[in-house]
Amino acid sequence: MTSTTAAAPEVAPFQLFDLTVVRTRRLGPSILRITLGGPGSEGFRGGGRDQSLSLLLPRPGQREAVVPAAGGGTWHERWRALPEDERAVLRSYAVRAERPRPDGSTEVDLDFVLHGDGGPASRWARAAAPGDRITVAGPAVADNTAVHFRPPADTDWVLIRADETAPPAAAAVLEWLPAGLPARVWLEVPRTEDRQALNTAAKSRISWLVRSEGAACGVETVRAAALPEGTPYAWIAGEASRLRALRHHLVRERGFAPERVTSTTYWTRGLSEEQARRAGSEAVSAGISSAEHPKAEWVDQVAR
Ligand SMILES: Cc1cc2nc3c(=O)[nH]c(=O)nc-3n(C[C@H](O)[C@H](O)[C@H](O)COP(=O)(O)OP(=O)(O)OC[C@H]3O[C@@H](n4cnc5c(N)ncnc54)[C@H](O)[C@@H]3O)c2cc1C
């Protein structure tokens, strides 16, 4: 007699989750934490570190976001098949924390910078209230391509530099780092009260760069620093042009191997996320690499 074992069904790495705003909490003058969860969050499973997800948001003039129906292919393919001028606007956010609940649901904390430029995401966040619904494209398996913080095994120490959009990811990275690993960290925020308590077992030296206090936030801060000895891994995230200057400093002036610098553009001054992504795709189609073009790296970095 032969027996066959049914293979476990393959889980798509990213799925659409219909979530509910559970609570909101102001963390500082510029930052709002929104906790999502409720029925529909079952199966959400991120990889920690700088795990990100995509929010599906209404366009200006829409009351509700136009989201893809269930079906074949990836959620992104189904989203792309919708009319371009109707389909939901996508915005990327880091998963600051993820808590499985006894009822099988999961709570997910997202920390929003309430920037004054009023794009769909910051507009949605300002108005969000418990009970509001939102669809997110999020991870369903922990090892997924929207986790970028991946230090090679021979890393002796870590450098982290984040502007105000990236402390949520940096804080989750710090929680993940092994005990005793040296980490030199710079986190930039608009105001003194935007600083957060951080948890880490790493041997970290953390500097908050507070713009309202006149902190120097350009490449000069890292350039002036004495860095630990040994083989580094750098994770830098924030505004496109500032990242480019910092990456250049690390690779060209400090001699970091390019593959040991993970540089993730979180936003681009003067461009919305889709405008920046389009500029990135055009750069890639024109054969320009992300090392040469500040927007080229957008193409593959988010949850697809
Ligand atoms: C992987 C990833 C993870 C991210 N995680 C976070 C996160 O955890 N928290 C967070 O707050 N952001 C995060 N961001 C950045 C966020 O997605 C962008 O700031 C996004 O552009 C905000 O969308 P929006 O609809 O508010 O503005 P958009 O419609 O995209 O932009 C409208 C205008 O606002 C400007 N703008 C966008 N962001 C800012 C800003 N921060 N300050 C000033 N002007 C801005 C744009 O240049 C544009 O001119 C992340 C981005 C990525 C790629």
Side-chain angles (χ1 to χ4, degrees), residues 241-261:
S241 59
R242 300 261 303 275
L243 283 188
R244 196 165 145 74
L246 182 54
R247 185 183 170 90
H248 183 274
H249 165 65
L250 294 175
V251 173
R252 297 286 165 83
E253 297 170 18
R254 294 273 193 179
F256 283 38
E259 66 278 11
R260 303 190 76 99
V261 180

Side-chain angles (χ1 to χ4, degrees), residues 10-16 68-81 304:
E10 205 175 293
V11 177
F14 300 104
Q15 295 177 16
L16 294 180
T74 68
W75 76 269
H76 193 248
E77 287 162 354
R78 300 199 305 279
W79 173 82
R80 278 175 67 93
R304 297 280 177 269

Side-chain angles (χ1 to χ4, degrees), residues 44-255:
F44 187 103
R45 181 143 185 263
R49 292 164 277 172
D50 59 340
Q51 174 74 64
S52 62
L53 51 68
S54 292
L55 304 177
L56 281 78
L57 295 157
R59 293 175 170 272
Q62 289 177 335
R63 278 170 55 84
E64 284 185 7
V66 175
V67 305
T74 68
W75 76 269
H76 193 248
E77 287 162 354
R78 300 199 305 279
W79 173 82
R80 278 175 67 93
L82 295 170
E84 200 174 341
D85 54 349
E86 286 176 24
R87 67 191 179 205
V89 171
L90 306 181
R91 289 290 180 271
S92 308
Y93 280 82
V95 174
R96 170 63 190 88
E98 182 186 329
R99 289 176 298 278
R101 311 255 311 152
D103 63 2
S105 67
T106 299
E107 281 192 359
V108 179
D109 292 336
L110 307 180
D111 291 353
F112 289 78
V113 173
L114 301 173
H115 65 89
D117 231 329
S122 49
R123 220 175 27 241
W124 177 83
R126 273 179 200 280
D132 288 357
R133 306 277 297 165
I134 184 164
T135 301
V136 311
V141 295
D143 189 11
N144 65 73
T145 55
V147 175
H148 297 279
F149 185 92
R150 293 179 186 270
D154 61 350
T155 298
D156 292 322
W157 68 278
V158 166
L159 181 148
I160 294 174
R161 171 72 173 92
D163 78 6
E164 70 263 42
T165 57
V173 162
L174 283 166
E175 283 167 8
W176 179 88
L177 284 180
L181 186 78
R184 186 67 183 93
V185 182
W186 289 269
L187 303 177
E188 176 182 341
V189 285
R191 308 269 291 274
T192 314
E193 303 78 19
D194 290 322
R195 293 175 304 173
Q196 313 291 322
L198 299 166
N199 259 330
T200 184
K203 200 170 135 209
S204 60
R205 180 159 167 226
I206 300 170
S207 305
W208 287 95
L209 306 175
V210 181
R211 285 204 298 275
S212 66
E213 295 173 1
C217 295
V219 70
E220 66 274 17
T221 309
V222 177
R223 186 179 278 132
L227 300 179
E229 295 290 316
T231 306
Y233 170 72
W235 180 89
I236 59 179
E239 201 278 330
S241 59
R242 300 261 303 275
L243 283 188
R244 196 165 145 74
L246 182 54
R247 185 183 170 90
H248 183 274
H249 165 65
L250 294 175
V251 173
R252 297 286 165 83
E253 297 170 18
R254 294 273 193 179

